Amino acid sequence: AQKITQTQPGMFVQEKEAVTLDCTYDTSDPSYGLFWYKQPSSGEMIFLIYQGSYDQQNATEGRYSLNFQKARKSANLVISASQLGDSAMYFCAMREDQTGANNLFFGTGTRLTVIP
Amino acid sequence: GAVVSQHPSWVICKSGTSVKIECRSLDFQATTMFWYRQFPKQSLMLMATSNEGSKATYEQGVEKDKFLINHASLTLSTLTVTSAHPEDSSFYICSARPRGPYNEKLFFGSGTQLSVL
């Protein structure tokens, strides 16, 4: 089974509006971390936000917030007040802590396009 | 924030040659570095995990004799694609895990686009 599922290949949002990028995950590990990365056309992976499985509150980083619903195994990324520079690929990823490897499993990504 | 330098950014080579890609953590020590491969419009696929001073752990299906990984120090890991062929053309990206507590984040290099003619 896929560890990370991103069902939206592409999304469009009007500038200054909010957008939600979906992510669901699958793990039996009780301790894990969830990440969102942004990959612009230049290729680098830019860390956006992190949520630990035991964190009680949803993570927020500036205009980014993570809507963590543990029972539903979802970790959607919310971008508020979209900007043209937000246009990029967005990847959801998970790290399973009990494996000890600390590598990330990535979803297939969502291409976000911000419309002026 | 932490910086990971990866170079070259892109390389074109002839089939049969070897290509070395470097990944350096500039302002932190990395106990573990990861190498990923990304085909166009696809996700990142983990190739191997390298720990400083020990042999790399390769994911299933990745040829360790073809993709040589060396992690000689806490700030440098290299990936060498030996006898490259056109099917090895891809985007390769490294990431590094900082040493110490609160190291949930992985920091990524800027990637290397390899084109084998």
Side-chain angles (χ1 to χ4, degrees), chain A residues 19-23 36-37 48-49 63-67 75-79 90-91:
Chain A
V19 64
T20 298
L21 306 183
D22 294 342
C23 173
W36 277 92
Y37 284 86
L48 296 178
I49 197 165
R63 294 186 299 110
Y64 305 107
S65 61
L66 199 151
N67 184 0
N76 298 340
L77 175 70
V78 180
I79 305 174
Y90 288 81
F91 290 96

Side-chain angles (χ1 to χ4, degrees), chain B residues 35-78:
Chain B
W35 287 95
Y36 291 85
R37 183 174 182 176
Q38 185 180 28
F39 290 106
K41 299 184 179 181
Q42 294 189 24
S43 187
L44 281 72
M45 299 300 295
L46 180 68
M47 297 176 66
T49 302
S50 73
N51 293 295
E52 184 263 338
S54 62
K55 289 183 179 180
T57 302
Y58 290 81
E59 295 299 301
Q60 194 173 9
V62 178
E63 299 175 59
K64 61 181 181 181
D65 294 330
K66 181 166 189 64
F67 298 100
L68 300 179
I69 291 172
N70 185 282
H71 193 159
S73 76
L74 284 172
T75 59
L76 174 64
S77 177
T78 60

Side-chain angles (χ1 to χ4, degrees), chain B residues 68-97:
Chain B
L68 300 179
I69 291 172
N70 185 282
H71 193 159
S73 76
L74 284 172
T75 59
L76 174 64
S77 177
T78 60
L79 167 68
T80 301
V81 183
T82 61
S83 186
H85 288 95
E87 59 266 29
D88 299 324
S89 298
S90 187
F91 187 71
Y92 294 87
I93 191 165
C94 70
S95 68
R97 175 192 172 202

Side-chain angles (χ1 to χ4, degrees), chain B residues 2-7 21-35 50-54 69-79 94-99 107-109:
Chain B
V3 177
V4 175
S5 172
Q6 182 176 344
H7 76 272
I21 303 169
E22 289 191 352
C23 180
R24 291 181 186 272
S25 54
L26 296 185
D27 51 1
F28 65 94
Q29 291 183 327
T31 50
T32 307
M33 287 188 175
F34 303 92
W35 287 95
S50 73
N51 293 295
E52 184 263 338
S54 62
I69 291 172
N70 185 282
H71 193 159
S73 76
L74 284 172
T75 59
L76 174 64
S77 177
T78 60
L79 167 68
C94 70
S95 68
R97 175 192 172 202
R99 192 179 193 182
F107 296 95
F108 283 80

Side-chain angles (χ1 to χ4, degrees), chain A residues 3-5 7 13 15 17 20 24 27 31 33 38-39 44 48 50 54-55 57 67 69 72 76 80 82 105 113:
Chain A
K3 289 190 179 286
I4 293 287
T5 302
T7 57
V13 64
E15 192 179 6
E17 296 293 312
T20 298
T24 58
T27 182
S31 179
K38 172 184 178 181
Q39 187 180 42
E44 74 268 32
L48 296 178
Y50 165 81
Y54 293 116
D55 292 343
Q57 295 191 331
N67 184 0
Q69 298 191 36
R72 298 175 64 178
N76 298 340
S80 62
S82 297
F105 297 97
T113 302

